[in-house]
Amino acid sequence: MSDIGTMWNPWHGCRKYSEGCDNCYMFYQDEQRDKDGSIIYKVKTNFNLPLKKDRQGNFKIKSGDQVRVCMTSDFFLEEADAWRDEVWDMIRVRSDVHFWLLTKRAGRIKECLPWDWLNGWDNVSINVTAENQERADERIPILLSIPAKHKGVMVAPFIGKVSIEKYLSAGQIETVLADGENYEGARPLHYEWVKLLYKQCVRYGVPFRFFGTGDVFIKDGKEYHICKAYQGVQALRSGLQYPKIADNYPVQKRCANCSRKNNCNGCNWCEECLAIRKN
């Protein structure tokens, strides 16, 4: 979607941590490139991305941009402890940029915060994933106990009914995001699950974004298999967005054959994808 912003992966690779990791897109994509996603390493070519400048001496990441950090890993991964302070230093320098952190390792957040964190930084949002009710009840209370200026919850991959009304009532959660699961072994997402979250967010005035249906979407007892190119489109058509999104909201177009972005990485839905995977 157009509001995802810049992605910054200072390190790559991860260890599967909970059931939401079973069909992790990073492991899948690495496997397609004959790589092992469990090998964790510092991405040297992109490690200092927030500080990179163009030929005119201007930061490549513009003031006011949003940067999503560690989308091919976990920001609070133990193996990254040796590199994290350098990342905090860069985030501290770029106070004009908003950094969006996501983790399944909620229990490590507090011990990994920088020395001058205090009540949180204005330019950092800490978010936890909550793929089902068990993980929501495990991670969100920890998030609420941590001092931070911005907090959010991402229900993705959305693999079980989740109710977070008691957490929204605390008034600390700024955003709730939801998305289905993709790639091989994708588990179904039920429309009623999304609708429940949407209604709870509306009740407490918390912005809710339903990004995608996932490969398998169930509504009114009927199972739909949706090409990745149209999962975002169908999510918008559901009307389960709060605040409401304009009808002309831009949806990224993807490759000519199945509308995947830039090139095909094997979504299983069109013959072009299948041909590429065979080769």
Side-chain angles (χ1 to χ4, degrees), residues 4 6 10 117 169 220-221 232 247-248 273:
I4 284 179
T6 301
W117 180 256
S169 66
D220 299 329
D247 292 337
N248 62 350
C273 294

Side-chain angles (χ1 to χ4, degrees), residues 28 66 94 98 108 114 145 176 208 234 243 275:
Y28 174 84
Q66 176 172 259
R94 292 304 310 272
H98 193 89
R108 300 201 77 236
S145 72
V176 177
F208 175 76
Q234 293 302 322

Side-chain angles (χ1 to χ4, degrees), residues 36-272:
D36 183 353
S38 67
I39 297 176
I40 301 162
Y41 59 92
K42 182 178 180 180
V43 182
K44 296 180 180 179
T45 57
N46 221 33
F47 187 76
N48 66 335
L49 178 62
L51 303 184
K52 285 187 175 182
K53 296 182 177 181
D54 59 24
R55 294 181 179 179
Q56 289 71 45
N58 301 310
F59 284 120
K60 291 185 176 181
I61 296 178
K62 306 302 181 185
S63 180
D65 282 359
Q66 176 172 259
V67 176
R68 298 199 175 223
V69 186
C70 285
M71 300 308 289
T72 62
S73 186
D74 188 306
F75 189 77
F76 295 103
L77 188 72
E78 293 89 336
E79 287 81 352
D81 286 352
W83 313 315
R84 195 177 299 102
D85 282 347
E86 292 180 76
V87 170
W88 284 126
D89 288 343
M90 287 183 273
I91 293 175
R92 186 185 292 106
V93 169
R94 292 304 310 272
S95 60
D96 59 325
V97 172
H98 193 89
F99 294 87
W100 191 89
L101 312 181
L102 179 66
T103 186
K104 286 182 171 63
R105 293 163 172 80
R108 300 201 77 236
I109 297 175
K110 190 172 184 179
E111 65 184 274
C112 295
L113 294 173
W115 64 270
D116 55 347
W117 180 256
L118 301 177
N119 291 322
W121 292 354
D122 290 332
N123 67 324
V124 176
S125 175
I126 296 182
N127 303 264
V128 297
T129 59
E131 60 262 39
N132 54 28
Q133 192 65 53
E134 179 183 359
R135 299 307 175 183
D137 292 337
E138 169 194 316
R139 297 167 186 158
I140 299 178
I142 298 175
L143 177 68
L144 296 182
S145 72
I146 292 169
K149 297 290 183 64
H150 308 286
K151 301 177 182 181
V153 175
M154 186 164 188
V155 185
F158 205 155
I159 59 173
K161 182 179 178 180
V162 176
S163 174
I164 61 172
E165 185 166 11
K166 61 183 178 181
Y167 305 123
L168 295 175
S169 66
Q172 295 187 41
I173 296 173
E174 289 186 342
T175 58
V176 177
L177 311 178
D179 203 347
E181 188 170 51
N182 290 290
Y183 304 114
E184 294 178 2
R187 290 157 285 190
L189 171 57
H190 291 250
Y191 171 83
E192 284 71 22
W193 299 348
V194 184
K195 189 174 182 179
L196 173 65
L197 270 184
Y198 163 78
K199 286 185 172 181
Q200 292 178 348
C201 288
V202 171
R203 184 173 300 123
Y204 289 95
V206 177
F208 175 76
R209 288 296 313 277
F210 178 28
F211 278 102
T213 61
D215 281 354
V216 185
F217 191 60
I218 297 177
K219 183 179 181 182
D220 299 329
K222 185 174 181 180
E223 184 175 291
Y224 299 89
H225 292 262
I226 302 175
C227 174
K228 186 168 176 55
Y230 298 103
Q231 292 172 17
V233 174
Q234 293 302 322
L236 287 176
R237 288 178 178 173
S238 72
L240 301 180
Q241 312 285 346
Y242 177 76
K244 296 296 183 182
I245 293 176
D247 292 337
N248 62 350
Y249 181 82
V251 177
Q252 288 182 348
K253 295 298 182 183
R254 300 185 180 257
C255 88
N257 292 288
C258 71
S259 299
R260 292 194 64 87
K261 184 179 179 181
N262 299 329
N263 53 58
C264 179
N265 64 357
C267 70
N268 288 329
W269 294 108
C270 75
E271 293 182 1
E272 183 68 15

